[in-house]
Amino acid sequence: MLALCLLLAVGMAAPCAAFAQEAGHKHVRVGWYDSSYNTMDSSGRRSGYAYEYQLKIACYTGWTYEYVKGSWPELMQMLESGEIDLMSDVSYTPERAEHMLFPSLPMGSEEYYLFTAPGSGSLLPTAPSTQNGKRIGVNKNSIQADFYRDWAERNGVRPEIIEVSCSEEESLAMLETGELDGYVTVDAFVHPEKAAPVCKVGSSDFFFAVSRDRPDLLDELNDALNRIQDENRFYNQRMFEKYIRRAGANAFLSAEEVQWLSEHKTIRVGYQDNYLAFCAADKTTGELIGVLKDYLSSASDCIANVRLDFEAIAYPTSAAALDALKNGEVDCVFPVNFSPYDGEVLGVITTPPLTETEIYAVLPQAGQQGFAKKEHVIVAVNEGNPNYDAFLQDHFPAWRRVYYPTTADCLKAVSDGVADCVLISNYRYNNIARLCTKYRLTTFATGVEMDYCFAVGKDQTPLYSILAKTVNMVPKSTVNAAMSYYVTEDARLSLGDVIADHIGAVMAVVAVVLLVILTLLVQNMRAVRKARTLISATETDELTGLYNRNFFFQYANRMYREHPDTPMDAIVLNIEQFHSVNALNGREFGDRTLRVLGNEIHAITNGLGGIAGRFEADRFDIYCRHTGDYQSIFTRLQEKLETMAPNTNIRLRMGVMPWQAGLEPEQLFDRARTACSMARGQYMERPIIFDEKVREREIYEQRLLNDLRRALDAYEFEVYYQPKYDIQSEPPRLVSAEALVRWSHPELGMIPPDDFIPLFE
């Protein structure tokens, strides 16, 4: 660390007019085969499991890619002959290892299935003998071909195996035309509308494979894969969730599951009534409303080979719904939150979570300050809700529980001082906001989340599997959008609610009923304003009033889903060296700066038809309608800060990702953040617009940061001395020297200090 400080200190004296050398990057020819691993839309924009993984590797290696198209078998031959350098989705075998190089870590795991044409019925999952004599296509020299041959031998099946060398699209087309009766391939390569799974024949890890002509790539690939795993050990799983989970056999029910449905016809779902935003029975129609309604609607059509029919049945409490499950009145219950142990004791199993919710403690406003340090806590709990019992046992076992019939009774107990708090989901807060206002209660974040799942009987394996598949198939964005909608709906207060709170007073002053009604109307308006303030506190930043991260992206994603063709830009703002502004001028000045900036951003988004959020200390995100005049936005915000503090130098940096068709908000903001980072330390008077040069610069700078420790250990930093002479003496004499630092990089060449010093700072 001392060596680094000395080098940076010396480097600060380096002149800006240094000779820069263009960074060199290795050129890698990589195989491109059309599939969910490599896709290209109608605009020529690439995506896919392998494509994104390769770009992640390039962040650590600096590689540039040339994409060589072909079918998977063709590209494998090209890899062996040295016509390409890198190939994705290659399973390891000792025979292949003789012709290509494999890294130490896989890029994932995959399963191989036999597929047939949808609705053909010629190959039956429960009767392997139906494959006898059938024409089964396998990719030439593929590992799935070997798996299928072994599977056929184990099951006594004698098909006609046909090796194909064409693309996946062409092979699947042969199913449709009847040239093939079945086709064996990677589960992830097949979409439900093109083929239906018959049976699984094997599975294996798969790798990036390197040509034996390019051993120089293998060490860099190994290093990059290890760094990716260090960065996120679940990276492979994340890629699976993003690109593979809803493809292939995952989108179909098995024969056992289809049989269960044919016997039961309808899945009966017991749910807890009066539990918005999650579930409730409409008071007028009795029909299900809430997130569960939207979820079941999506789940009905998410499976490729059947339609699921659901019947929702309301129960007054979660405990009553679980009793109905034990008695056979329903097939499953929602919502439940049980640990594996609790589920075993109750005789139920729970699916993966449909959604997660933050848990708040509702407590008196006066008791908020010391609540976190309180040793003995009494918590009020609804009778008949074992979810909160299980949650408390897992996370707050020392808290003493007292039980009340309703949530309203629990809140009254807290108001009266009988209990210290009530636990409530952040999505349920709107339901009690009116009572919290009445009793002067507030919320305290516990920092713990609760999973909400389906519960089924432990002997109902097919149903559990069906529900688990729907949880994986229905996009999280659908559930999140429903959450946002029903939270808003639940916040609406009726005049009847307010009158019910004051019914005794209404009866007492019936002689002056008109005056009472007018008074109640005024109180209702005040209650709504206070409720909105409390609601806003859960979704907005307290200092600026802008959305917090979770709600910002929920609303941005909802805007994108509802209007995907509306051009929307992503803008990211940061205050340069904001920690120094706080240190020099005080926290109060820093907060005032953020409020002024937040107010101006709010005014801008109102004019542009967008939303804005504040994340971390000084990062602001803006999602607004497309505009080409980003400079005027930057200038307006910069001038606002200069007007507020004319004697303080506060500088903004701004990154912009203009709208691109098909890019979701998160993808836009990833690029905008990258552009904003490019302006760090530059004191620019203009925004940075994300483009290819910005992306290349990001990769280059990340390369320098990655290589820093190795450079120090290898003594790659060199000091040059520029002499200084006293020219007034005769003859001129040497009096001193200026020390200049340079980085002699073994691959990138001589790197000037203005490239690496600002980066290390």
Side-chain angles (χ1 to χ4, degrees), residues 543-586:
L543 186 63
T544 64
L546 303 178
Y547 287 118
N548 60 36
R549 179 183 179 83
N550 288 339
F551 279 91
F552 176 83
F553 279 108
Q554 282 188 25
Y555 289 131
N557 288 330
R558 184 172 181 178
M559 292 166 69
Y560 173 78
R561 283 191 305 274
E562 294 177 355
H563 306 284
D565 297 325
T566 300
M568 301 291 285
D569 294 337
I571 300 173
V572 173
L573 287 155
N574 278 104
I575 299 175
E576 190 71 32
Q577 298 291 327
F578 182 65
H579 61 282
S580 298
V581 174
N582 265 338
L584 292 172
N585 300 280

Side-chain angles (χ1 to χ4, degrees), residues 377-399:
V377 176
I378 300 174
V379 55
V381 182
N382 280 25
E383 294 174 350
N385 192 340
N387 291 325
Y388 281 104
D389 279 324
F391 178 84
L392 286 164
Q393 191 63 39
D394 287 340
H395 300 286
F396 304 103
W399 288 10

Side-chain angles (χ1 to χ4, degrees), residues 433-559:
R434 182 170 54 88
L435 287 175
C436 287
T437 301
K438 176 181 178 181
Y439 294 140
R440 297 183 179 180
L441 305 178
T442 187
T443 59
F444 183 90
T446 66
V448 184
E449 289 189 344
M450 180 188 289
D451 293 336
Y452 276 165
C453 314
F454 287 100
V456 301
K458 64 180 180 181
D459 57 342
Q460 293 293 331
T461 302
L463 176 59
Y464 171 84
S465 181
I466 292 168
L467 293 175
K469 284 183 179 179
T470 64
V471 169
N472 287 329
M473 291 297 294
V474 175
K476 283 291 185 184
S477 57
T478 298
V479 177
N480 292 337
M483 284 289 193
S484 299
Y485 175 78
Y486 286 108
V487 163
T488 305
E489 285 293 293
D490 196 34
R492 297 179 180 176
L493 300 178
S494 68
L495 178 60
D497 290 332
V498 180
I499 292 176
D501 284 345
H502 302 84
I503 189 66
V506 172
M507 295 177 64
V509 294
V510 66
V512 287
V513 65
L514 181 60
L515 178 60
V516 171
I517 292 174
L518 290 174
T519 302
L520 290 176
L521 285 172
V522 172
Q523 291 178 350
N524 180 58
M525 292 172 64
R526 290 175 178 171
V528 168
R529 283 198 297 269
K530 291 181 180 179
R532 287 174 178 167
T533 300
L534 289 168
I535 295 165
S536 177
T538 68
E539 62 182 37
T540 58
D541 168 50
E542 181 180 359
L543 186 63
T544 64
L546 303 178
Y547 287 118
N548 60 36
R549 179 183 179 83
N550 288 339
F551 279 91
F552 176 83
F553 279 108
Q554 282 188 25
Y555 289 131
N557 288 330
R558 184 172 181 178
M559 292 166 69

Side-chain angles (χ1 to χ4, degrees), residues 24-85:
H25 300 294
K26 288 188 178 180
H27 183 82
V28 178
R29 299 166 300 175
V30 60
W32 180 278
Y33 49 95
D34 290 331
S35 65
S36 54
Y37 285 72
N38 299 286
T39 62
M40 185 179 295
D41 64 18
S42 57
S43 302
R45 298 176 63 254
R46 299 178 189 269
S47 63
Y49 190 122
Y51 174 73
E52 185 174 332
Y53 215 131
Q54 286 155 194
L55 293 186
K56 186 71 172 179
I57 290 169
C59 292
Y60 290 107
T61 62
W63 293 348
T64 57
Y65 295 109
E66 173 191 349
Y67 299 100
V68 180
K69 292 197 66 173
S71 68
W72 192 91
E74 291 170 345
L75 291 167
M76 280 292 286
Q77 290 295 323
M78 296 173 71
L79 183 68
E80 290 188 22
S81 63
E83 296 175 70
I84 61 174
D85 307 312

Side-chain angles (χ1 to χ4, degrees), residues 276-490:
L276 285 178
F278 300 100
C279 45
D282 186 279
K283 290 179 172 57
T284 303
T285 66
E287 297 295 320
L288 171 66
I289 57 175
V291 171
L292 181 61
K293 174 189 175 182
D294 290 52
Y295 174 80
L296 294 180
S297 176
S298 297
S300 297
D301 298 315
C302 74
I303 303 298
N305 56 333
V306 296
R307 174 181 171 80
L308 303 178
D309 293 319
F310 295 96
E311 178 188 0
I313 304 170
Y315 290 90
T317 64
S318 178
L322 287 168
D323 287 340
L325 177 64
K326 294 177 183 177
N327 298 332
E329 299 172 26
V330 295
D331 303 307
C332 60
V333 169
F334 178 85
V336 298
N337 167 65
F338 295 139
S339 68
Y341 173 80
D342 293 325
E344 182 181 28
V345 171
L346 292 170
V348 299
I349 48 179
T350 56
T351 66
L354 171 65
T355 186
E356 301 84 22
T357 174
E358 294 181 46
I359 298 299
Y360 292 160
V362 181
L363 64 161
Q365 294 175 1
Q368 185 179 18
Q369 195 69 25
F371 182 75
K373 299 180 180 179
K374 197 174 180 67
E375 292 186 11
H376 303 290
V377 176
I378 300 174
V379 55
V381 182
N382 280 25
E383 294 174 350
N385 192 340
N387 291 325
Y388 281 104
D389 279 324
F391 178 84
L392 286 164
Q393 191 63 39
D394 287 340
H395 300 286
F396 304 103
W399 288 10
R400 185 164 65 86
R401 283 163 265 178
V402 291
Y403 294 90
Y404 295 90
T406 67
T407 302
D409 294 326
C410 291
L411 295 171
K412 182 68 165 59
V414 174
S415 175
D416 293 342
V418 179
D420 297 310
C421 69
V422 179
L423 293 182
I424 195 78
S425 158
N426 63 319
Y427 290 112
R428 289 269 300 142
Y429 179 75
N430 294 336
N431 188 266
I432 64 168
R434 182 170 54 88
L435 287 175
C436 287
T437 301
K438 176 181 178 181
Y439 294 140
R440 297 183 179 180
L441 305 178
T442 187
T443 59
F444 183 90
T446 66
V448 184
E449 289 189 344
M450 180 188 289
D451 293 336
Y452 276 165
C453 314
F454 287 100
V456 301
K458 64 180 180 181
D459 57 342
Q460 293 293 331
T461 302
L463 176 59
Y464 171 84
S465 181
I466 292 168
L467 293 175
K469 284 183 179 179
T470 64
V471 169
N472 287 329
M473 291 297 294
V474 175
K476 283 291 185 184
S477 57
T478 298
V479 177
N480 292 337
M483 284 289 193
S484 299
Y485 175 78
Y486 286 108
V487 163
T488 305
E489 285 293 293
D490 196 34

Side-chain angles (χ1 to χ4, degrees), residues 176-317:
E176 185 178 2
T177 60
E179 295 177 67
L180 293 175
D181 299 303
Y183 175 53
V184 178
T185 189
V186 180
D187 179 35
F189 283 8
V190 179
H191 291 283
E193 66 273 10
K194 296 181 180 180
V198 178
C199 59
K200 179 179 174 180
V201 300
S203 64
S204 73
D205 287 340
F206 60 98
F207 298 78
F208 285 103
V210 178
S211 168
R212 281 199 167 271
D213 294 341
R214 293 298 303 273
D216 58 303
L217 300 181
L218 186 60
D219 286 342
E220 294 183 33
L221 177 60
N222 271 318
D223 180 64
L225 292 173
N226 276 289
R227 290 188 179 192
I228 290 169
Q229 292 300 310
D230 289 342
E231 176 188 323
N232 179 3
R233 67 177 59 188
F234 302 109
Y235 184 79
N236 291 358
Q237 179 66 23
R238 187 181 74 82
M239 297 297 288
F240 173 84
E241 294 285 331
K242 185 173 182 180
Y243 290 105
I244 307 301
R245 185 178 67 176
R246 298 183 182 91
N250 293 327
F252 291 81
L253 294 190
S254 68
E256 181 187 16
E257 293 158 0
V258 171
Q259 178 65 28
W260 189 95
L261 280 178
S262 67
E263 294 172 358
H264 292 77
K265 309 300 182 186
T266 300
I267 300 174
R268 300 165 300 171
V269 182
Y271 68 90
Q272 182 177 345
D273 196 6
N274 297 316
Y275 205 62
L276 285 178
F278 300 100
C279 45
D282 186 279
K283 290 179 172 57
T284 303
T285 66
E287 297 295 320
L288 171 66
I289 57 175
V291 171
L292 181 61
K293 174 189 175 182
D294 290 52
Y295 174 80
L296 294 180
S297 176
S298 297
S300 297
D301 298 315
C302 74
I303 303 298
N305 56 333
V306 296
R307 174 181 171 80
L308 303 178
D309 293 319
F310 295 96
E311 178 188 0
I313 304 170
Y315 290 90
T317 64

